[in-house]
Amino acid sequence: MSPQAPKGAGQEGTGPWGCPCSALLLMVNVAGQRLWHRLPELSALPSAPGTACTLLLLFVCILAAPPWPLALSPLCNSQLPQTVGVTGHYFPSLSGCDSGFGQATARHLDIMGFRVFASVLDLQSPGAQELRQSCSSRLTLLQMDLTKTEDIQRVLQHIQAHTNSTGLWGLVNNAGFNDTIADAELSPLGKFRTCMEVNFFGSLELTKGLLPLLRSAGGRIVTVSSPAGDMPFPCLAAYGASKAALSLVMDTFRSELQPWGIKVSLILPGYYKTGKRQQLLASLPQELLQAYGEDYVEEINQQFIQFMKVAVEDLSAVVNSITEGLLAANPAVRYYPGQGLGIMYFIHRYLPYFVRDLFLKGFFINPKLPRALRREHHKDVKKA
């Protein structure tokens, strides 16, 4: 089967809403409805960032069949690279990691006829077994824990041994670990560190390790980040901070690697069902528990559960964006797969901060007042 280029290429400069003129009017109208009339469907749109879940961390290594004519359109099959590698990482302490964007992308690229290297935490996991059964012999599974340098180095050596003669065409970082939904004050410091280790440092180490091969091929880097790294979603401080760092360093790579012919793209998906969150009550210090209250934390959990019910299950939009970033002759700098992201970014960029905060709370999570503030409020009411 000959590889085929993806359809519906996104264009740099049009932003997350496609046509900037007509969509701008549409977003102003919808934003006004949601902010001022507080329509019930505000929190029912399947368009939040993919957070509070464990997404498969992967990198896609497309081995170039040199010479690769970067200036030519990928719509011609003869101009596409002949081999592809995809490597994913499943964070060991979480469930649901042998599914998601990484597995779907590996399967998609295998169907397209590329050679795929897919790394998993456990070679005997159900996700690994599913890839073995559904993919061709072109797919190779590799074991890797992204938090362990020795695992990363072993995978890098394996890829280098198989790509030295061809160069490395593509690298896709898709880090997305976050298992806690809570205010920044309530989130344990260890959660911030874990998010940075998985979502930022792991992707950075992989990218730096593969840059010599990417330079030799003039290849691609595609990184799945999140809108939570661009705007302050409530209760996502740890995740958002790690994604903000990831987006910034990849944008820096984009600028610095241009002379080498390497093109760098970011994927900022809407909200997709790929994982679960963790309860906080057992780990909260007593002082914080008294100030905020058990009902405050439980309310956040319940709101997130309700939000999960409208999350998108079809991952094809993200997979197509990743594929386009790897294969399009002129990939976009940013892709926004998912519904509703145009409204978010319009409000974030053009409306006052208080409007943005109201929108994000109404759209995602809007917790009640903490217990201590409720007591003060009752006192003020009685005095009045």
Side-chain angles (χ1 to χ4, degrees), residues 11 30 67 69 116 160 199 215 218 230 241 279 281 306 311 320 324:
Q11 297 298 321
V30 176
V116 177
Q160 289 164 357
N199 300 346
R215 289 200 312 270
D230 287 338
Q279 296 289 341
L281 286 176
Q306 291 301 313
N320 290 338
E324 181 179 317

Side-chain angles (χ1 to χ4, degrees), residues 188-199 201 238:
L189 192 59
K191 297 297 182 182
F192 283 84
R193 292 195 174 101
T194 302
C195 282
M196 289 298 295
E197 284 294 332
V198 178
N199 300 346
F201 286 110

Side-chain angles (χ1 to χ4, degrees), residues 15-17 230 334 336 344-351 356:
W17 41 78
D230 287 338
R334 286 187 166 211
Y336 300 87
M344 288 186 192
Y345 277 93
F346 173 77
I347 293 175
H348 174 64
R349 290 170 178 167
Y350 300 112
L351 298 186
R356 179 200 62 189

